[in-house]
């Protein structure tokens, strides 16, 4: 018995198709083993109940048959019924259970012989259906053979003539046995199918649990917080890093939740918190939020939200990812402060140097070759001063600092662009570059004239610097009443695809052809445009040229006087 159990366990673990069939067979046999004793007891108990009632009726009422023979059959059935309760059928070979219905058929034959004219033969239904349904084709053939033997015995013993009634009951019993056999086969097939499905579901469940465990371990291993929000707003998945970030925020802020914008000063309204935005269905990238107030420790998080879509195209919630960027922002701030401090200290002596160079150059008695050398020194000092000015502008070019120094007003962008083009004509002429202003149209914009001139000067200067000798710079303005666009297009070397993604980063210089300058101009330009509520776009083709498009609001924000 132990060997059989081990074989079944090995079959259950085997991975191939044959072992899958073996597992299904084992499950079916195991189910049959566990129900064999119960089936034998219930079937026999049902027959014994009917026979007991008949025996009681015969005992108290008139009976025209042989009492001895009748009660002999009753006693046999009762004894067999008692045996089904005490015999451990699960420990015996399966075929031994067939002895019970076989003995029942013999006992019922005695009952029929005790009263030949009665309907005692109907009791054969119980053992015949049991044999046919529980023992397969062998049981069905055994029922047919037993009915034939019993019919012959009854015909030989009883002197009654052969009529259709003689064969009616045997035919009915055979039909019932066949029906029971077919029904049992269908039940076995369904039971086997259910066992296979249960095995498959168990394997799928185990695989799903393993996958869930792997995903959980991966999420807990990363150092950024992950939160899965269901469509109803409930949090279904979170990882350990998110819990650590939230704990650090609460500890650093004394249990509160003071939140500030990326400048660390402007308080963030509750409805603009990242999770609240995600619950409203918004998707966003890298929202910087500062938590905590001085003098307590502060923490900055970069939060990104992505919407999830199910296979049917419906909203399935969102994933919110948060990352601690406190060290990065503090390092950037320290760098900017250092650069600004050094640049400021450099600008004062440079201004003094330029002043004294101008005084020396204006002296009429200095030789020409000395004057030429002084002109070179002055040009380089002026270039160095421009670089220092760019570094100072970059160190203070956050959106908050730019907005603080802006005085926007309604103006005609065409005038600003035309003035910039005229101012840079001498520089363009040195390379035979033409500045085309035929595309300028009247275009009202809500902008600071000084800052806008700084933007246009930088874009036109770059268009001249990186143009081809004899090329053209096209300037244009247009508006639709809501937004205003400024276009600066050149016929120069263009920008490669690899450089486009980093073109607006501070201190980045694109390609070997664009190594001139400090790499700050476009970063400052974009910051100024964004501070106006606009955007700076780029279209470029290497070897053909580049087009920069500045988009600005054409009207002031609601609630502000014009």
């Amino acid at each position: 018995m132990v060997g059989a159990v081990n074989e079944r366990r090995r079959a259950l673990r085997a991975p191939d198709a044959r072992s899958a069939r073996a597992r299904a067979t084992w499950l079916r046999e195991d189910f049959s083993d566990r129900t064999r004793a119960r089936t034998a007891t219930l079937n026999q108990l049902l027959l014994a109940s009917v026979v007991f009632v008949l025996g009681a009726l015969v005992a108290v009422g008139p009976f025209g048959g042989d009492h001895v023979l009748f009660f002999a059959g009753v006693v046999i059935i009762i004894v067999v019924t008692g045996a089904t309760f005490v015999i451990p059928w699960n420990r015996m070979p399966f075929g031994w259970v067939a002895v019970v219905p076989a003995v029942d058929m013999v006992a019922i034959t005695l009952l029929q012989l005790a009263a030949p004219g009665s309907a005692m033969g109907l009791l054969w239904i119980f053992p015949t259906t049991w044999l046919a349904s529980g023992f397969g084709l062998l049981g069905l053939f055994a029922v047919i053979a037993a009915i034939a033997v019993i019919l012959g015995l009854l015909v030989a013993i009883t002197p009654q003539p052969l009529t259709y009634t003689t064969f009616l009951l045997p035919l009915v019993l055979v039909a019932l046995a066949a029906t029971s056999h077919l029904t049992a086969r269908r039940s076995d097939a369904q039971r086997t199918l259910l066992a296979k499905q249960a095995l498959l579901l168990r394997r799928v469940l185990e695989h799903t649990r393993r996958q869930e465990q792997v995903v959980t371990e991966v999420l807990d291993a990363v150092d950024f917080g992950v939160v899965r929000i269901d469509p109803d707003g409930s949090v279904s998945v979170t990882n350990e890093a998110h819990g650590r970030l939230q704990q650090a925020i609460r500890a650093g802020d004394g249990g509160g939740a003071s939140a500030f914008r990326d400048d660390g000063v402007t308080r963030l309204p509750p409805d603009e918190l990242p999770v609240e935005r995600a619950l409203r269905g918004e998707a966003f990238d890298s929202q910087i939020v500062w938590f905590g107030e001085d003098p307590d420790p502060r923490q900055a998080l970069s939060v990104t939200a992505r919407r999830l879509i199910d296979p049917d195209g419906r909203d399935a919630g969102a994933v919110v990812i948060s990352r601690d960027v406190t060290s990065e922002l503090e390092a950037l701030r320290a760098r900017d402060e250092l650069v600004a401090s050094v640049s400021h200290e450099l600008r004062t002596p440079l201004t003094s140097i330029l002043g004294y160079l101008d005084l020396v150059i204006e002296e009429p008695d200095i030789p020409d070759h000395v004057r030429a050398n002084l002109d070179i020194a002055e040009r380089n000092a002026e270039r160095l001063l421009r670089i220092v000015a760019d570094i100072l502008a970059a160190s203070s070019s956050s959106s908050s600092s730019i907005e603080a120094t802006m005085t926007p007003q309604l103006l005609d962008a065409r005038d600003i662009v035309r003035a910039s083009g005229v101012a840079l004509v001498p520089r363009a002429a040195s390379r035979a570059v033409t500045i085309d202003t035929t595309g300028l149209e009247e275009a009202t914009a809500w902008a600071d004239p000084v800052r806008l001139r700084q933007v246009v000067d930088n874009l036109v200067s770059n268009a001249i610097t990186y143009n081809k000798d004899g090329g053209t710079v096209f300037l244009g303005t247009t508006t639709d009443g809501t937004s205003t666009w400024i276009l600066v297009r050149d016929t120069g070397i263009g920008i490669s695809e690899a450089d486009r993604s980093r073109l607006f980063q501070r201190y980045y210089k694109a390609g070997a052809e664009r190594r001139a300058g400090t790499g700050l101009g476009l970063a400052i330009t974009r910051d100024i445009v964004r501070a106006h509520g606009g955007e700076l776009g780029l279209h470029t083709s290497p070897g053909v040229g580049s087009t920069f498009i500045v988009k600005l609001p054409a009207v002031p924000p609601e609630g502000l006087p014009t």
Side-chain angles (χ1 to χ4, degrees):
M1 188 65 184
V2 175
V5 172
N6 291 333
E7 287 293 332
R8 291 168 182 171
R9 289 177 178 173
R10 283 194 294 272
L12 188 61
R13 292 192 297 265
D16 55 9
R18 184 172 58 186
S19 62
R21 291 192 296 270
R23 287 195 300 271
T25 302
W26 175 81
L27 288 171
R28 184 176 65 251
E29 292 177 353
D30 182 66
F31 181 83
S32 300
D33 288 345
R34 287 184 284 107
T35 59
R36 188 185 307 164
R38 183 173 56 186
T39 301
T41 303
L42 291 178
N43 287 339
Q44 189 62 24
L45 188 60
L46 183 60
L47 174 61
S49 300
V50 176
V51 171
F52 179 78
V53 173
L54 287 178
L57 293 176
V58 169
V60 300
F63 181 67
D66 188 342
H67 284 79
V68 176
L69 202 57
F70 177 82
F71 283 105
V74 171
V75 171
I76 292 174
I77 293 175
I78 298 299
V79 171
V80 172
T81 302
T84 59
F85 282 96
V86 297
I87 296 177
W89 300 107
N90 292 340
R91 301 178 184 177
M92 300 178 63
F94 178 71
W96 283 99
V97 182
V99 174
V100 176
V103 173
D104 289 337
M105 294 187 72
V106 173
I108 295 170
T109 303
L110 295 178
L111 298 179
Q112 181 65 27
L113 291 175
S118 65
M120 296 292 179
L122 292 175
L123 296 175
W124 278 317
I125 294 175
F126 292 96
T128 54
T129 54
W130 184 0
L131 286 171
S133 61
F135 299 92
L137 286 175
L138 182 61
L140 178 61
F141 292 147
V143 167
I144 295 174
I147 291 175
V149 171
I150 292 172
L151 178 62
L153 180 62
L154 293 177
V155 170
I157 294 176
T158 58
Q160 296 179 356
L162 293 176
T163 61
Y164 71 92
T165 58
T166 306
F167 299 97
L168 178 60
L169 181 58
L171 291 175
V172 170
L173 293 175
V174 171
L176 286 174
T179 303
S180 299
H181 171 72
L182 295 176
T183 303
R185 288 196 61 182
R186 284 196 295 268
S187 298
D188 289 341
Q190 292 175 352
R191 193 158 45 241
T192 303
L193 179 61
L194 289 175
K196 291 180 179 179
Q197 290 177 342
L199 179 62
L200 178 61
L201 289 175
R202 184 162 55 250
R203 294 176 60 186
V204 171
L205 181 59
E206 291 175 356
H207 181 67
T208 303
R209 287 176 176 172
R210 286 196 297 270
Q211 284 186 327
E212 182 180 0
Q213 183 179 1
V214 170
V215 171
T216 301
E217 291 175 352
V218 170
L219 288 177
D220 289 339
V222 298
D223 60 350
F224 51 83
V226 179
V227 178
R228 167 74 158 84
I229 301 176
D230 289 335
D232 60 359
S234 61
V235 176
S236 59
V237 177
T238 184
N239 67 339
E240 292 182 359
H242 175 74
R244 291 194 298 269
L245 290 175
Q246 296 303 314
Q247 185 177 5
I249 291 171
R250 289 192 295 268
D253 197 31
S258 300
F260 300 86
R261 297 186 186 275
D262 56 354
D263 58 5
V265 177
T266 307
R267 191 174 292 274
L268 190 67
D271 59 343
E272 292 187 22
L273 289 171
V275 174
E276 295 297 328
R277 294 179 61 188
L279 291 175
R280 291 198 301 268
E282 297 184 33
F284 50 88
D285 288 316
S286 303
Q287 179 186 1
I288 302 298
V289 183
W290 281 92
F291 293 93
E293 296 185 74
D294 291 330
D296 296 325
R298 308 187 71 191
Q299 189 169 28
L301 297 184
S302 174
V303 186
T304 298
R306 287 285 182 272
R307 305 307 303 175
L308 301 177
I309 306 298
D310 64 13
D312 297 329
R314 295 189 298 267
D315 183 64
V319 172
V320 180
I321 300 173
S322 55
R323 186 169 60 91
D324 187 356
V325 293
T326 308
S327 300
E328 298 175 23
L329 294 182
E330 289 179 347
L332 291 175
R333 181 178 298 176
R335 184 199 67 180
D336 290 342
E337 291 175 354
L338 175 62
V339 170
S341 177
V342 172
S343 301
H344 181 75
E345 296 298 327
L346 288 175
R347 185 167 59 176
T348 300
L350 277 174
T351 304
S352 178
I353 291 171
L354 283 171
Y356 281 101
L357 283 174
D358 286 337
L359 292 175
V360 174
I361 291 173
E362 291 176 359
E363 291 289 336
D365 298 334
I366 62 173
D368 292 339
H369 69 281
V370 174
R371 187 185 303 276
N373 292 334
L374 291 174
D375 286 338
I376 294 174
E378 184 182 33
R379 286 197 301 271
N380 282 280
E382 289 176 347
R383 180 173 179 271
L384 183 57
L385 186 61
R386 286 195 299 271
I387 292 175
V388 170
D390 284 345
I391 294 175
L392 286 173
S395 64
S396 62
S397 63
S398 65
S399 59
S400 57
S401 60
I402 292 176
E403 290 173 1
T405 60
M406 284 195 330
T407 307
Q409 62 188 48
L410 284 177
L411 51 82
D412 190 349
R414 174 180 56 181
D415 297 337
I416 302 291
V417 176
R418 180 183 287 114
S420 177
V422 171
L424 292 171
V425 165
R427 182 175 177 181
S430 65
R431 298 189 56 200
V433 174
T434 303
I435 298 180
D436 187 345
T437 60
T438 58
L440 296 177
E441 303 175 359
E442 182 180 358
T444 302
W446 177 258
D448 181 279
V450 176
R451 289 292 193 175
L452 183 57
R453 176 63 183 269
Q454 182 181 354
V455 168
V456 177
D457 282 348
N458 190 22
L459 294 179
V460 177
S461 176
N462 285 347
I464 295 172
T465 301
Y466 301 111
N467 212 324
K468 301 174 181 176
D469 291 341
T472 304
V473 175
F474 298 91
L475 305 179
T477 56
T478 186
T479 184
D480 62 359
T482 302
S483 299
T484 294
W485 291 270
I486 299 174
L487 179 143
V488 179
R489 180 165 62 90
D490 64 61
T491 56
I493 59 178
I495 302 171
S496 67
E497 188 68 26
D499 290 327
R500 288 188 60 180
S501 60
R502 302 181 59 189
L503 190 63
F504 295 102
Q505 293 181 7
R506 297 180 185 181
Y507 306 104
Y508 178 73
K509 299 179 182 180
E513 303 86 350
R514 290 180 172 265
R515 293 300 180 186
T518 60
L520 293 171
L522 286 177
I524 297 172
T525 299
R526 187 176 66 170
D527 288 340
I528 295 174
V529 173
R530 287 183 172 178
H532 283 83
E535 191 54 68
L536 179 61
L538 169 65
H539 300 281
T540 183
S541 298
V544 177
S546 303
T547 301
F548 287 87
I549 302 175
V550 178
K551 179 183 178 182
L552 296 170
V555 294
E558 294 183 5
L560 290 180
T562 60

